[in-house]
């Protein structure tokens, strides 16, 4: 199915990096095209140049990028040579764009209706009444509830999905021929992501517009793409129809990207846990009170009556979306916050070792979990030295740990900024292991990492568990990741556990409606359901 | 996990001279001006000066000459020498006030930022002190006693402390939520060590900048106090005193006002440039906190 | 909304209490016995004792504070030691020039600073931006009284187009009012202007990097409107905040500038009181200025709720 003509034709686009980094170009001579009525996914990991390409099409490149060469033809006209006035006219009318962070992409102090209306005010001369009617219609089209009321709402009063719908309404109100979507669902929960993706797909079919869809997620590509362009380090690695690229990739890089996406096949079906109980959580509840004298008091149940137990050698997955209480649970367990009620006990044994020698945590953000002013060696030995280990001995052990997590032992003298995100996460693991804990809590520990790096870190955690007989509480929002590493799962929703059981049985037959919704929302559910085009 | 991933060879050497921030134009010019003024203050006796307090009734209000390069004042004292010696009081007061306000503010700020129960009480007191305009509070405090260098320093320090406390507290409140602080907590680091090792270092850059601003502000306020006749006693040569005494003769001998004014403005300009430059080079986000 | 305002007003109570305590302590820490000072040089011991009792000075310190605070709440700031006139009356007599000067300065500074700062922020790195930043450092570094004398030298002594000193009430005609108030306004306004312009610039510059600016551009909105409707509009809170904080600058300015230009206002009154150590007057004026400062900032605080929907909750 080759669509009739190209709306967007990029040829030999090259965008030099400002100030010359380790490579010369952010975008290095790429060519791609988008035809009417098709969705082209540009997929790549961080630093591939995919977002820069999208910005170049809109003429919205940050000023630091200069000397752009090549051509970007939109409906036969080169946008790289267009005047600013021509570009302004094109934006919103000819090309619509939506972005990754729907919260920050909306003006916080302007009513959302007015923000959609701004497109009309900018491009058309219509009466106030006509504009309002069209805005309400556009809001209805993207299925925003109660548009008349929502028109006057401010962005902070909307949910993430609703905000993205407002942006879609604004981008599409003038029926542009091309929609550029730059990671539009990355910041959203998986159930919301599924809704937004199907909405983009529907609107695109209704209108026959072209869509240039930027993403890092092969699952999303599977869900939505007609054609795929794979980018790496500013170059196009591979392109072609979605079913060909996804099922019979011809480049190693594409194959690696696809293979790195965890499958929904539970990996530990035959793993038998025999260790004694290491961690017991009984009826832990966390309630936050807000407001006070004048507002009605608001009570937020961040966590309700949660219980779990964890054995040595076992990985227990805690699955949930934002606001499910999973991180509150981790912080209660780690004694970083006090639970309102309930208790956390560690298993007997281990001759009265202090709490923080027995349980350790790895945080989500690899860029903020190491003190930027201290060498990684100092970060690793801090704990052991707190408990009386002499410095030289602790440092010796730190080098061993660096090797254990797959890093150069001599790098203990370097500072965190000299390491990549994945390497920093390994250092965080080394820091946790330096305490020789029995229990490891991993709070979204691989969520911020590129998919190829994610796979490596997962393998490391898996490997370390076997060697050290660790009990691991693995908190994640991603069922695919959980399938790779967990023995059992608990599913959390709005502060409560809605389902728990062995991974294999939950994956085979999820009992709770919410769990089923989570499964249904996983983008590109396994290779079996290849996209039909 | 067989291959050893090696960190990229980032070319960040910790010992480069001169450090790049010194080459920032504001830091460079400001630093140069400040260094010169400090040298003038220290080397005052060697710079062709005479005793700045020597009264010579026969030499009243003489125009510039070989003997007195910028003429003499109402009491026949050498204007040039007084301006040079005036640098001493200004620099001394500026540095002492900045140091005292920083030390006091950091101590209070660290404690209030970290312990919530102290926070409520101390911050109300700080809010109250901040509600009294700095200059008025200083003027009222010096009016309590006979002004001398020490009392002026105390009077200028007290109104500045709340500013330091607020800054330190805001940094502490942000930093203590950082995962690396929580990580340190979960490896058993005690609270005093946590404050010293992980939180205090984050305050040094903004404090350096705030310190320069306090220094500049103290010099200006001291000059203002002296100008109004409520600051340093007239025997001590200070720029504010000179301007205050000179203003009566402003229409006949504007130099009596302009020479000390020039010194004063250049000193404050140098310090402010240094502060702005440090702010831009150390961490541009600092600006938001002040 | 009412709850929001009530909460803000209540949160001021501890601030006002602290101010009152500080000012009270200031008087009690002052050297010398107020009764002796008030009684004058020729008073006998009995007279001093009478005054002491009438002032409540024989009571414990805490009781004295409550007596003093009680009369304060009734608007009684005490009586000047020297002129024997109630402090409230003294202040009221001198209020007009000070208020006139503060308002003209506010107007002068805001009207110039906001547009200037906005343009500089939107065109960061341009020659306009660079020169504004340079002027702003100069503006912070020149003491108001030095600038005042420079302006007098140029406009009054050399060009002879404006009077050297003095004040003419607006009731005596707009011409004389403007000609006398022009130099003090410029003198006092420079530092204030520079402060507001800097914050405006910094805030607009920061907003220009926000995602919603990119969204507005992606809608095809004109750059001028992107800057005003989105960047400047979102900078309203920092700008208003600095205008409020800058009131402290105005108050310090008034004290010095009224001396430089010989304006018979409250600033001049407090300087005279300090030189004569007339403590009730000093106290009363500090309370008045602090109260003004707190109230203006309260108004601004409440204004936030109208400017930013996220503040209302």
């Amino acid at each position: 199915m080759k669509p009739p003509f190209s709306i967007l034709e990029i040829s030999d686009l090259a965008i030099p990096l400002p100030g010359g980094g380790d490579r010369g170009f952010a975008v290095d001579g790429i060519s791609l095209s988008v035809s009417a009525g098709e969705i082209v996914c540009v997929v790549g990991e961080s630093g591939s140049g995919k977002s820069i390409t999208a910005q170049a099409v809109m003429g919205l490149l940050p000023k630091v990028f200069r000397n752009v060469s090549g051509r970007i033809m939109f409906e036969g006209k080169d946008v790289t040579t267009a005047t600013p006035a021509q570009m302004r006219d094109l934006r919103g009318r000819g090309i619509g764009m939506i972005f990754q962070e729907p919260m920050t992409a909306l003006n916080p102090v302007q009513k959302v209706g007015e923000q959609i209306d701004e497109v009309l005010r900018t491009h058309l001369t219509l009466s106030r009444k006509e504009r309002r009617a069209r805005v309400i219609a556009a809001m209805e089209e993207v299925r925003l509830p109660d548009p008349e009321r929502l028109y006057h709402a401010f962005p902070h009063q909307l949910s993430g999905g609703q905000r993205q719908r407002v942006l879609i309404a604004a981008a599409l109100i003038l029926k542009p021929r091309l929609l550029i979507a730059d990671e539009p669902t990355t910041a959203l929960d998986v159930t919301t992501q599924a809704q937004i993706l199907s909405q983009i797909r529907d609107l695109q079919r209704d209108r026959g517009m072209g869509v240039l869809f930027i993403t890092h997620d092969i699952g999303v590509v599977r869900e939505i793409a007609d054609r795929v362009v794979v980018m790496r380090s500013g170059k196009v690695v591979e392109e072609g129809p979605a079913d060909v690229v996804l099922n019979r990739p011809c480049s190693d890089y594409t194959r690696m990207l696809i293979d790195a996406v965890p499958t929904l096949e539970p990996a530990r079906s035959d793993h038998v846990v025999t260790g004694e109980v290491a961690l017991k959580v009984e009826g832990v509840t966390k309630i936050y009170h807000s407001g006070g004298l004048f507002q009605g008091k608001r009570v937020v149940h961040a966590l309700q009556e949660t219980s779990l137990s964890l054995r040595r050698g076992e990985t227990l997955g805690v699955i949930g979306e934002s606001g499910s209480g999973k991180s509150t649970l981790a912080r209660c367990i780690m004694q970083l916050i006090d639970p309102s009620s309930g208790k956390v006990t560690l298993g007997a044994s281990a001759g009265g070792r202090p709490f923080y020698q027995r349980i350790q945590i790895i945080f989500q953000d690899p860029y903020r979990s190491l003190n930027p002013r201290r060498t990684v060696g100092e970060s690793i030995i801090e704990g052991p030295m707190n408990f009386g280990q002499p410095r030289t001995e602790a440092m010796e052990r730190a080098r061993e740990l660096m090797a254990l997590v797959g890093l150069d032992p001599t790098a203990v003298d370097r500072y965190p900024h000299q390491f990549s995100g994945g390497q920093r996460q390994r250092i965080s693991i080394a820091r946790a292991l330096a305490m020789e804990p029995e229990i490891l809590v991993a709070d979204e520990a691989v969520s911020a990492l590129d998919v190829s790096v994610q796979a490596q870190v997962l393998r490391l955690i898996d490997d370390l568990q076997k060697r050290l007989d660790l009990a691991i509480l693995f908190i994640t929002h991603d069922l695919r990741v959980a399938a790779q590493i967990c023995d059992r799962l608990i599913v959390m929703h709005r502060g409560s556990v809605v389902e728990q059981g062995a991974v294999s049985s939950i994956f085979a037959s999820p009992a709770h409606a919410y769990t089923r919704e989570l499964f249904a929302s996983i983008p590109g559910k396994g290779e079996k359901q290849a996209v039909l085009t | 996990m067989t291959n050893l991933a090696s960190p990229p060879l980032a070319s960040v050497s910790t010992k480069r001279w001169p450090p790049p921030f010194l080459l920032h134009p504001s830091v460079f010019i400001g630093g140069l001006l400040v260094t010169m003024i400090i040298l003038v203050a220290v080397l005052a006796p060697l710079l062709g000066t005479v005793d700045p307090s020597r009264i010579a009734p026969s030499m009243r209000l003489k125009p510039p000459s070989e003997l007195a390069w910028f003429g003499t004042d109402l009491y026949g004292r050498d204007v040039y020498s007084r301006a040079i010696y005036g640098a001493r009081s200004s620099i001394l007061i500026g540095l002492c006030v900045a140091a005292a306000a920083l030390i006091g503010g950091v101590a209070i700020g660290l404690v209030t930022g970290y312990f919530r129960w102290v926070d409520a009480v101390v911050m109300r007191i700080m809010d109250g002190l901040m509600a009294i305009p700095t200059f008025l509070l200083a003027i009222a405090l010096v009016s309590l006693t006979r002004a001398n260098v020490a009392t002026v320093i105390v009077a200028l320090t007290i109104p500045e402390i709340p500013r330091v406390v607020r800054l330190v507290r805001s940094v502490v409140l942000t930093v203590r939520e950082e995962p690396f602080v929580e990580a340190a907590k979960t490896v058993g680091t005690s609270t005093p060590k946590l404050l010293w090792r992980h939180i205090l270092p984050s305050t040094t850059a903004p404090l350096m900048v705030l310190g320069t601003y306090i220094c500049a502000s103290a010099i200006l306020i001291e000059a203002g106090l002296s100008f109004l006749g409520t600051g340093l006693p007239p025997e001590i040569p200070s720029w504010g005193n000179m301007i205050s005494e000179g203003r009566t003769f402003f229409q006949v001998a504007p130099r009596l006002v302009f020479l000390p004014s020039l010194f004063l403005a250049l000193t404050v300009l140098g310090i402010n440039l240094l502060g702005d430059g440090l702010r831009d080079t150390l961490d541009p986000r600092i600006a938001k906190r002040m | 909304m009412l709850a929001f305002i009530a909460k803000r007003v209540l949160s001021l109570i501890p601030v006002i209490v602290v101010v009152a305590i500080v000012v009270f302590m200031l008087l009690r820490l002052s050297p010398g016995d107020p009764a002796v000072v008030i009684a004058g040089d020729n008073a006998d011991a009995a007279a001093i004792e009478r005054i002491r009792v009438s002032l409540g000075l024989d009571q414990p310190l805490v009781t004295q504070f409550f007596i003093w605070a009680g009369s304060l709440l009734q608007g009684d700031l005490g009586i000047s030691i020297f002129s024997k006139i109630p402090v409230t009356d003294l202040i009221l007599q001198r209020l007009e020039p000070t208020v006139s000067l503060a308002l003209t300065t506010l107007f002068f500074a805001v009207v110039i600073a906001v547009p200037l700062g906005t343009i500089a922020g939107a065109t960061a790195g341009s020659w306009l931006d660079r020169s504004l930043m340079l002027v702003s450092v100069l503006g912070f570094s020149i003491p108001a009284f030095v600038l005042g004398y420079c302006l007098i030298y140029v406009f009054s002594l050399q060009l002879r187009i404006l009077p050297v000193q003095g004040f003419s009430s607006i009731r005596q005609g707009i011409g004389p009012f403007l000609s006398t108030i022009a130099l003090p306004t410029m003198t006092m306004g420079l530092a204030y202007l520079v402060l507001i312009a800097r914050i405006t610039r910094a805030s607009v510059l920061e907003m220009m990097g926000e995602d919603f600016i990119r969204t507005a551009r992606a809608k095809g909105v004109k750059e001028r409107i992107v800057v005003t409707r989105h960047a400047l509009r979102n900078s309203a809170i920092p700008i208003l905040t600095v205008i409020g904080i800058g009131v402290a600058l105005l108050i310090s300015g008034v004290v010095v500038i009224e001396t430089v230009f010989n304006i018979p206002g409250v600033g001049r009154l407090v300087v005279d009181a300090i030189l004569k150590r007339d403590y009730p007057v000093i106290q009363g004026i500090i309370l008045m200025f602090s109260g003004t400062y707190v109230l203006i900032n309260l108004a601004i605080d409440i204004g936030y709720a109208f400017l930013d929907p996220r503040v209302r909750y």
Side-chain angles (χ1 to χ4, degrees):
Chain A
M1 165 176 149
K2 185 69 192 167
F5 67 98
S6 299
I7 301 181
L8 180 70
E9 187 91 48
I10 298 175
S11 41
D12 300 321
L13 180 69
I15 304 170
L17 275 173
D22 50 348
R23 62 195 163 95
F25 289 88
V27 172
D28 194 355
I30 69 157
S31 301
L32 63 89
S33 69
V34 181
S35 301
E38 73 167 349
I39 298 182
V40 175
C41 274
V42 178
V43 63
E45 297 186 295
S46 41
S48 62
K50 54 190 194 302
S51 286
I52 305 276
T53 308
Q55 286 168 13
V57 175
M58 277 305 254
L60 290 177
L61 273 182
K63 277 185 196 141
V64 288
F65 293 102
R66 270 172 241 173
N67 306 320
V68 176
S69 66
R71 288 194 309 170
I72 302 171
M73 308 294 284
F74 176 73
E75 296 186 323
K77 276 193 226 134
D78 191 348
V79 301
T80 58
T81 57
T83 65
Q86 287 167 333
M87 271 322 286
R88 272 205 303 274
D89 191 54
L90 200 59
R91 289 182 212 132
R93 201 201 284 265
I95 311 177
M97 186 163 182
I98 54 177
F99 304 95
Q100 175 170 351
E101 288 285 347
M103 179 72 228
T104 55
L106 287 167
N107 184 340
V109 303
Q110 205 180 16
K111 292 174 180 168
V112 295
E114 286 171 6
Q115 301 196 41
I116 302 173
D117 183 43
E118 191 169 30
V119 184
L120 299 178
R121 269 192 288 174
T122 304
H123 292 282
L124 306 174
T125 39
L126 293 174
S127 74
R128 185 181 277 270
K129 231 175 122 185
E130 286 170 300
R131 292 204 319 256
R132 202 185 147 85
R134 285 189 65 170
V135 170
I136 300 285
M139 291 170 80
E140 270 163 4
E141 192 180 9
V142 295
R143 299 199 285 275
L144 278 165
D146 197 358
E148 294 281 352
R149 191 181 56 83
L150 225 54
Y151 186 99
H152 298 285
F154 289 97
H156 71 279
Q157 296 167 317
L158 273 55
S159 71
Q162 288 174 335
R163 290 184 203 126
Q164 194 58 281
R165 294 209 161 99
V166 169
L167 284 164
I168 294 174
L172 297 184
I173 194 167
L174 287 178
K175 309 237 182 310
R177 275 83 69 198
L178 178 68
L179 173 70
I180 299 177
D182 186 0
E183 302 256 15
T185 58
T186 307
L188 303 176
D189 277 332
V190 59
T191 48
T192 317
Q193 161 168 296
Q195 293 159 12
I196 296 284
L197 286 179
S198 80
Q199 184 146 56
I200 292 176
R201 181 96 243 189
D202 292 349
L203 286 165
Q204 178 265 337
R205 285 203 180 126
D206 287 353
R207 299 180 172 195
M209 67 181 171
V211 176
L212 183 67
F213 195 105
I214 314 288
T215 183
H216 68 283
D217 189 336
I218 290 283
V220 170
V221 177
R222 238 178 242 293
E223 201 73 18
I224 202 170
D226 295 315
R227 280 198 306 120
V228 181
V229 176
V230 182
M231 282 185 72
R232 185 192 194 184
S233 307
K235 290 195 165 76
V236 171
V237 176
E238 178 166 4
E239 80 160 296
D243 53 344
V244 175
V245 174
L246 293 174
N247 298 327
R248 295 184 297 281
C250 54
S251 85
D252 291 342
Y253 181 69
T254 313
R255 199 168 302 125
M256 188 280 291
L257 270 187
I258 294 170
D259 289 345
V261 178
T263 61
L264 272 176
E265 234 18 70
R268 285 192 167 188
S269 312
D270 49 356
H271 182 233
V272 184
V273 178
T274 54
E276 73 255 35
V277 172
L279 172 71
K280 214 169 173 58
V281 175
E282 289 164 287
V284 168
T285 298
K286 180 70 190 177
I287 299 170
Y288 288 103
H289 298 275
S290 62
L293 227 47
F294 292 99
Q295 291 93 23
K297 271 202 180 135
R298 271 175 298 185
V299 175
V300 180
H301 292 267
L303 191 63
Q304 296 185 53
E305 287 288 324
T306 301
S307 302
L308 60 86
S309 72
L310 176 64
R311 293 172 179 278
R312 293 206 68 164
E314 180 185 42
T315 305
L316 174 62
V318 179
I319 285 279
E321 296 183 302
S322 48
S324 64
K326 58 190 195 305
S327 284
T328 309
L329 174 65
R331 294 165 62 80
C332 282
I333 291 174
M334 289 310 294
Q335 300 185 354
L336 287 170
I337 48 177
D338 294 323
S340 310
S341 65
K343 65 174 184 191
V344 176
T345 39
L346 304 190
S349 85
R353 294 174 75 211
F355 183 80
Y356 282 136
Q357 281 193 310
R358 301 183 58 191
I359 184 165
Q360 280 294 303
I361 185 168
I362 309 160
F363 294 97
Q364 170 172 4
D365 189 343
Y367 293 90
R368 287 166 59 198
S369 51
L370 293 167
N371 187 338
R373 290 182 183 78
R374 296 169 72 80
T375 65
V376 300
E378 281 170 330
S379 284
I380 294 173
I381 66 171
E382 180 170 14
M385 284 180 66
N386 284 335
F387 290 99
Q389 196 171 31
R391 189 186 174 85
T392 44
E393 198 183 315
M395 200 50 110
E396 192 45 50
R397 173 100 181 101
R399 289 196 191 89
E400 290 168 31
L401 286 165
M402 289 287 275
L404 183 69
V405 297
L407 292 171
D408 179 359
T410 60
V412 288
D413 296 330
R414 302 200 184 167
Y415 286 88
H417 70 265
Q418 293 168 285
F419 295 87
S420 69
Q423 289 170 334
R424 285 186 222 194
Q425 213 56 326
R426 287 165 192 266
I427 294 163
S428 295
I429 294 173
R431 172 175 58 190
L433 293 180
M435 305 297 281
E436 298 178 2
E438 300 146 35
I439 308 152
L440 197 58
V441 177
D443 186 4
E444 296 275 17
V446 297
S447 306
L449 305 175
D450 273 337
V451 59
S452 53
V453 183
Q454 187 179 56
Q456 292 167 13
V457 175
L458 277 177
R459 243 173 290 148
L460 173 67
I461 294 176
D462 200 42
D463 180 55
L464 289 170
Q465 175 173 45
K466 283 171 192 146
R467 275 205 244 176
L468 305 171
D469 195 28
L470 292 169
I472 297 180
L473 189 70
F474 193 90
I475 294 167
T476 182
H477 67 282
D478 193 336
L479 276 169
R480 296 174 295 188
V481 169
Q484 297 312 297
I485 194 165
C486 298
D487 297 297
R488 284 192 301 128
L489 274 188
I490 68 176
V491 181
M492 298 195 66
H493 185 47
R494 298 197 184 143
S496 309
V497 175
V498 295
E499 180 163 4
Q500 54 182 315
V503 170
S504 46
S505 61
I506 290 184
F507 274 55
S509 56
H512 193 274
Y514 176 71
T515 318
R516 285 198 292 276
E517 191 190 346
L518 274 182
F519 273 100
S521 304
I522 296 173
K525 292 166 278 300
E527 288 89 329
K528 289 153 242 163
Q529 295 164 266
V531 180
L532 303 169
T533 39
Chain B
M1 240 10 55
T2 44
N3 61 324
L4 287 185
S6 180
L9 292 169
S11 59
V12 180
S13 67
T14 38
K15 294 183 188 89
R16 182 141 42 112
W17 189 259
F21 73 88
L22 276 187
L23 300 176
H24 187 281
S26 293
V27 178
F28 187 78
I29 299 172
L32 208 65
L33 273 173
V34 172
T35 316
M36 274 165 52
I37 294 290
I38 291 178
L39 282 178
V40 163
V42 173
L43 303 177
L46 308 175
L47 295 172
T49 53
V50 296
D51 178 359
S53 306
R54 194 187 59 198
I55 295 175
S58 60
M59 292 285 288
R60 297 180 61 206
L61 290 174
K62 289 278 187 247
S65 66
E66 296 248 323
L67 284 171
W69 296 345
F70 282 88
T72 58
D73 68 4
L74 178 63
Y75 304 101
R77 296 174 299 196
D78 181 35
V79 172
Y80 167 75
S81 304
R82 285 181 74 73
I84 293 287
Y85 275 92
R88 290 189 159 187
S89 14
S90 284
I91 293 290
L92 180 71
I93 286 172
L95 290 181
C96 289
V97 170
L102 288 184
I103 293 169
V106 168
I108 302 174
L110 276 182
V111 174
T112 51
Y114 206 83
F115 300 102
R116 299 192 71 155
W117 55 273
V118 194
D119 189 69
V121 179
V122 175
M123 286 322 285
R124 291 299 81 73
I125 297 175
M126 293 300 141
D127 285 348
L129 281 178
M130 296 259 289
I132 307 175
T134 315
F135 192 71
L136 275 186
L137 185 54
I139 219 175
L141 286 170
V142 284
S143 76
L144 287 180
T145 53
R146 279 205 73 76
N148 57 45
V149 174
T151 54
V152 167
I153 288 172
V154 173
L156 296 189
T157 302
I158 291 172
E160 299 288 356
I161 283 182
R163 284 165 72 182
V164 185
V165 172
R166 281 202 159 189
L167 175 73
V168 173
R169 180 174 170 272
S170 83
V171 175
V172 173
L173 287 183
T174 330
V175 175
R176 73 169 191 185
E177 303 294 331
E178 286 288 319
F180 73 80
V181 175
E182 297 207 319
K185 235 187 276 180
T186 61
V187 295
T189 304
S190 62
T191 302
K193 269 190 194 162
L194 213 57
L195 286 171
W196 180 255
R197 212 184 262 170
H198 295 284
I199 294 181
L200 191 63
S202 303
T203 64
T204 47
L207 281 177
M208 271 171 77
V209 178
L210 184 60
T212 60
Y213 293 154
I214 290 178
C215 182
S217 152
I219 291 176
L220 281 179
I221 294 177
E222 182 277 314
L225 292 179
S226 299
F227 170 76
L228 294 176
T230 58
L232 294 177
E235 312 89 75
I236 302 177
S238 94
W239 297 328
N241 279 340
M242 292 177 71
I243 298 168
S244 177
E245 289 155 7
R247 71 192 164 105
T248 332
F249 306 95
F250 179 60
Q251 304 205 21
V252 284
R255 66 192 155 81
L256 294 183
V257 168
F258 283 145
L259 185 70
S261 296
L262 185 70
F263 271 92
L264 180 58
L266 280 179
T267 307
V268 179
L269 178 69
I271 300 171
N272 277 335
L273 278 174
L274 192 62
D276 282 4
L278 286 178
R279 186 195 59 203
D280 293 348
T281 48
L282 292 180
D283 184 356
R285 286 168 302 172
I286 294 173
K288 274 174 75 179
R289 289 215 169 90
M290 292 182 188
Chain C
M1 196 62 205
L2 250 136
F4 174 81
I5 294 173
K7 198 173 155 189
R8 291 296 143 126
V9 172
L10 280 188
S11 73
L12 280 188
I13 291 175
V15 174
I16 290 168
V17 170
V18 171
V19 172
I21 293 174
V22 169
V23 172
F24 174 77
M25 295 306 286
L26 223 47
L27 184 75
R28 286 299 171 267
L29 286 173
S30 58
D33 183 340
V36 176
V37 179
I38 290 172
D41 293 338
N42 306 321
D44 54 24
I48 292 173
E49 193 53 36
R50 254 200 325 279
I51 291 170
R52 182 170 289 133
V53 173
S54 76
L55 289 175
L57 294 175
D58 52 340
Q59 308 281 329
L61 207 61
V62 179
T63 319
Q64 285 187 39
F65 173 73
F66 282 108
I67 294 172
W68 177 77
S71 57
L72 206 63
L73 286 175
Q74 295 158 13
D76 178 7
L77 292 172
I79 291 169
S80 160
I81 293 173
F82 290 89
S83 61
K84 312 290 181 205
I85 300 172
V87 175
T88 324
D89 294 352
L90 276 176
I91 292 177
L92 285 176
Q93 288 166 12
R94 302 283 203 107
L95 210 52
E96 192 204 331
T98 304
V99 171
S100 311
L101 181 56
L103 290 179
T104 52
T105 307
L106 184 72
F107 180 78
F108 167 78
V110 172
V111 161
I112 297 178
V114 173
L116 213 60
T118 308
I119 298 172
T123 60
S126 65
W127 65 267
L128 182 112
D129 177 42
R130 281 167 201 273
S131 20
L132 179 72
M133 291 309 279
L134 188 71
V135 172
S136 78
V137 191
L138 286 172
F140 277 133
S141 308
I142 301 175
F145 49 93
V146 170
L147 180 67
Y149 284 116
C150 290
L151 290 177
I152 292 175
Y153 187 77
V154 174
F155 289 97
S156 309
L157 300 184
Q158 298 298 315
L159 300 174
R160 294 177 186 280
I161 49 177
L162 290 169
V164 177
Q165 283 179 331
F167 174 77
S168 167
S169 167
I170 195 161
R171 280 167 297 188
Q172 288 155 329
I174 193 90
F177 171 73
L178 286 180
S179 71
T180 48
I181 210 145
L183 289 185
T185 299
M186 280 155 67
T187 308
M188 211 161 97
L190 181 71
Y192 198 35
L193 186 158
V194 156
L195 182 70
I196 300 171
R198 268 189 159 204
I199 297 291
T200 308
R201 173 194 179 272
S203 179
V204 167
L205 177 60
E206 190 194 335
M207 290 304 155
M208 292 302 283
E210 292 288 329
D211 286 354
F212 59 80
I213 295 293
R214 194 182 52 184
T215 309
R217 286 182 179 145
K219 293 191 229 175
V221 176
K222 282 204 186 77
E223 198 59 21
R224 188 172 50 82
I225 294 177
V226 169
V227 171
T228 51
R229 193 187 289 159
H230 295 283
L232 182 58
R233 177 68 184 71
N234 271 283
S235 306
I237 286 195
I239 295 173
L240 210 58
T241 307
V242 78
I243 290 177
I245 293 172
V247 169
L249 211 65
L250 285 188
I251 293 171
S252 310
V254 158
V255 176
V256 176
I257 296 302
E258 289 186 355
T259 302
V260 174
F261 289 94
N262 221 350
I263 297 170
V266 186
R268 190 61 231 170
L269 183 65
V270 74
V271 173
D272 291 341
I274 283 167
L275 293 175
K276 288 188 286 192
R277 293 176 193 266
D278 193 343
Y279 291 107
V281 178
I282 302 175
Q283 227 181 10
I285 293 177
I286 291 180
L287 276 175
M288 183 208 71
F289 276 137
S290 304
T292 314
Y293 177 76
V294 168
L295 286 180
I296 289 175
N297 281 288
L298 169 72
I300 285 174
D301 229 20
I302 293 172
Y304 288 169
F306 293 96
L307 290 167
D308 191 332
R310 286 167 298 182
V311 179
R312 299 190 282 257
Y313 42 80

